[in-house]
């Protein structure tokens, strides 16, 4: 606007450009849906052409796919569906069984929420998922993205679904230069302008598929893209530079030690608190994990093969489940979580004294460890403690 409140030429041009972009946004739906009809990925949770999507199946797959790849989710999804073919069956399962079946998939609060959500759908909603974004968002573990995905795919609602793949496509299509994550609101708003009123579920899945198979993070195949004539990044040659990302903070390293205690072919494990990282999962008991070195053993190398811990070892061993002849296994177990890297020392000991199972822990037969709700980092600890039995601890 000019000082007199009259639209300036720049304002007029930018408004016109915005309008044109909105029109081209809607114009993306038809070519994208035609492309999807030919090139949709075949995924175990996806309804076949002409079939109605089952809300339970859509919900289960969307929860599993959060922060996890399609390849990793596949076997877990099939296992869950075979064992618990509908939401009532899952609601009736003991939580411990659900956690065991989830072990290895990571982000374990998802499993607890999955079970809580199944119970809520079963008891409060008569076994039927709510069919609106608002209703779905009120359920445990369902955030805005998952609610939109279920509403669009299972119920045909005009909800805008924005996952990592869609973010990338939209950032390029509109050449959004603001780095992620600050660009998220803008990307969501632009994505909303693309969403058609019909075939909303197919459109959401078409955008995801385009991001996964054509508009890939590196070297997008723009010549195969059904909406390349609408793409600003392609026109400007900036597709390889987008989406821009704010520099990542370096991941801190936390350290700790854990204690592999054996008795007659059994190992002593304990359950983590329900809330927090790896909540409710089993673990090999150990020290807290922190960034200081106070839970790191100082090795006395003068003792050769029988490397005895010294220095702060006394403090480390205070966290052992019992007094025993603890031996430090050479090397470290390393595991990377989203927000930190972890290095663990592992001590082993064999005892004849039977600790009493209870809140402090339980004895688990070695051959049953793989079937327990043991997270990946603890499977690594088990394999480090008993390298010869490593395959025994790999979940199949
Ligand atoms: S033209 Fe290229 S950069 Fe643009 S949306 Fe298609 S694949 Fe992505």
């Amino acid at each position: 606007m000019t000082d007199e409140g009259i639209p300036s030429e720049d304002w007029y041009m930018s408004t016109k450009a915005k309008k044109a972009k909105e029109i081209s946004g809607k114009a993306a739906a038809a070519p994208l849906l035609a492309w999807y009809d030919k090139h949709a990925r075949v995924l175990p949770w996806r309804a076949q052409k002409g079939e109605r999507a089952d809300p339970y199946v859509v919900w289960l797959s969307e929860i599993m796919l959060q922060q996890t790849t399609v390849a990793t989710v596949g076997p877990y999804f099939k296992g869950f569906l075979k064992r618990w073919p509908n939401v009532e069956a899952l609601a009736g399962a003991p939580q411990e069984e659900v956690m065991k079946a989830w072990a290895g998939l990571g982000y374990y609060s998802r499993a607890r929420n999955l079970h809580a959500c199944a119970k809520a759908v079963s008891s409060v909603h008569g076994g039927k998922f709510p069919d609106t974004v608002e209703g779905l968002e009120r359920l445990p573990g369902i955030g805005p993205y998952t609610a939109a995905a279920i509403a669009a795919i299972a119920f045909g609602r005009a909800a805008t679904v924005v996952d990592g793949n869609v973010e990338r496509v939209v950032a390029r299509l509109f050449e959004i230069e603001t780095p992620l994550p600050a660009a998220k609101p803008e990307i969501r708003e632009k994505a909303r302008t693309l969403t058609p009123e019909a075939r909303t579920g197919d459109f959401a899945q078409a955008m995801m598929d385009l991001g996964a198979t054509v508009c890939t993070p590196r070297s997008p195949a723009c010549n195969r893209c059904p909406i390349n004539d609408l793409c600003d990044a392609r026109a400007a040659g900036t597709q390889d530079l987008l989406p821009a990302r704010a520099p990542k903070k370096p991941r801190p390293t936390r350290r700790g030690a854990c204690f592999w205690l054996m008795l007659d072919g059994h190992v002593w494990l304990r359950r983590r608190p329900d809330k927090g990282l790896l909540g409710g999962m089993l673990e090999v008991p150990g020290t807290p994990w922190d960034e200081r070195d106070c839970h790191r053993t100082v090795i006395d190398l003068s003792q050769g093969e029988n490397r005895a811990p010294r220095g702060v070892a006394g403090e480390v061993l205070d966290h052992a489940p019992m007094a025993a002849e603890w031996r430090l296994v050479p090397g470290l177990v390393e595991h990377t979580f989203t927000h930190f890297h972890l290095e663990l020392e592992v001590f082993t000991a064999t005892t004849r004294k039977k600790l009493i199972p209870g809140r402090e822990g339980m004895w688990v037969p070695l051959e049953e460890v793989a079937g327990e709700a043991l997270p990946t980092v603890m499977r690594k600890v088990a394999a480090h403690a008993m390298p010869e039995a490593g395959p025994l601890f790999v979940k199949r």
Side-chain angles (χ1 to χ4, degrees):
M1 294 278 180
T2 63
D3 290 347
E4 296 83 39
I6 299 165
S8 67
E9 197 169 332
D10 282 355
W11 179 86
Y12 178 73
M13 289 307 290
S14 73
T15 306
K16 206 172 150 193
K18 274 186 203 151
K19 189 79 193 152
K21 178 56 81 181
E22 227 163 87
I23 291 165
S24 73
K26 291 284 183 202
L32 202 52
L33 285 166
W35 172 84
Y36 180 71
D37 288 340
K38 280 194 198 147
H39 301 285
R41 286 178 294 174
V42 176
L43 299 171
W45 42 86
R46 208 169 251 183
Q48 301 291 312
K49 226 177 184 174
E51 272 180 16
R52 274 184 78 104
D54 176 347
Y56 172 67
V57 167
V58 176
W59 163 74
L60 182 61
S61 62
E62 287 297 340
I63 300 290
M64 286 185 166
L65 285 164
Q66 289 167 8
Q67 321 266 356
T68 314
T69 63
V70 165
T72 304
V73 165
Y76 283 90
F77 172 80
K78 287 179 187 162
F80 263 68
L81 205 61
K82 192 168 171 205
R83 194 154 168 201
W84 300 299
N86 52 54
V87 72
E88 305 277 9
L90 185 57
Q95 188 184 45
E96 173 55 24
E97 291 302 309
V98 176
M99 300 303 284
K100 272 189 199 175
W102 192 277
L105 203 48
Y107 300 95
Y108 295 96
S109 60
R110 289 183 298 169
R112 277 197 313 283
N113 281 330
L114 185 90
H115 194 228
C117 182
K119 286 185 158 194
V121 171
S122 174
S123 60
V124 181
H125 298 278
K128 289 195 165 37
F129 280 85
D131 65 358
T132 60
V133 170
E134 299 73 30
L136 288 160
E137 272 192 69
R138 283 196 279 271
L139 290 169
I142 299 190
Y145 163 75
T146 309
I150 301 170
I153 299 169
F155 299 113
R157 297 276 180 189
T160 301
V161 184
V162 185
D163 69 354
N165 281 324
V166 177
E167 255 174 14
R168 184 167 59 255
V169 173
V170 173
R172 288 171 175 171
L173 207 50
F174 292 90
E175 210 193 4
I176 294 171
E177 288 170 357
T178 311
L180 282 167
K184 279 178 184 279
E186 189 181 355
I187 288 178
R188 161 158 290 283
E189 183 46 33
K190 295 293 187 193
R192 196 189 55 75
T193 69
L194 296 173
T195 308
E197 267 116 47
R199 295 190 67 189
T200 51
D202 285 350
F203 180 78
Q205 293 176 102
M207 287 287 281
M208 293 176 195
D209 282 14
L210 188 75
T213 63
V214 176
C215 195
T216 46
R218 280 187 209 94
S219 310
C222 298
N223 53 345
R224 288 198 284 116
C225 176
I227 48 174
N228 54 15
D229 57 335
L230 302 173
C231 181
D232 287 349
R234 189 192 188 213
T238 55
Q239 64 270 36
D240 284 319
L241 306 175
L242 297 175
R245 289 184 191 278
K248 278 193 182 160
K249 285 191 202 144
R251 243 188 215 122
T253 296
R254 295 186 193 171
R255 302 182 181 93
C258 47
F259 303 94
W260 182 261
L261 181 64
M262 293 285 300
L263 168 81
D264 291 339
H266 290 64
V267 60
W268 182 252
L269 300 177
R270 72 178 176 192
R271 192 167 302 286
R272 290 178 67 88
D274 270 351
K275 294 252 180 297
L277 185 71
L278 310 178
M281 304 298 284
L282 286 181
E283 70 172 358
V284 180
T287 65
W289 306 336
D290 57 40
E291 288 171 43
R292 298 168 302 150
D293 262 346
C294 60
H295 297 122
R296 198 177 183 81
T297 312
V298 178
I299 309 297
D300 185 352
L301 292 173
S302 65
Q303 297 197 27
E305 280 303 295
N306 298 321
R307 298 157 150 222
R310 65 171 175 81
V312 294
E315 189 185 329
V316 172
L317 295 179
D318 285 348
H319 295 270
M322 65 183 291
E325 284 191 25
W326 290 102
R327 294 173 70 91
L328 181 66
V329 181
L332 290 171
V333 169
E334 299 196 44
H335 189 77
T336 302
F337 293 96
T338 317
H339 299 299
F340 66 94
H341 182 72
L342 178 64
E343 289 179 1
L344 287 176
E345 292 178 327
V346 180
F347 289 85
T348 60
T350 302
T351 180
R352 292 211 186 117
K353 187 178 150 204
K354 196 155 186 166
L355 287 175
I356 308 299
R359 282 183 49 207
E360 295 299 313
M362 66 194 81
W363 291 106
V364 176
L366 277 182
E367 61 276 13
E368 289 178 20
V369 166
E372 289 293 342
L374 208 64
T376 304
V377 59
M378 290 299 150
R379 287 178 200 280
K380 288 185 185 176
V381 168
H384 190 70
M386 294 191 65
E388 67 287 358
L392 203 63
F393 307 131
V394 177
K395 192 174 158 110
R396 289 173 215 292

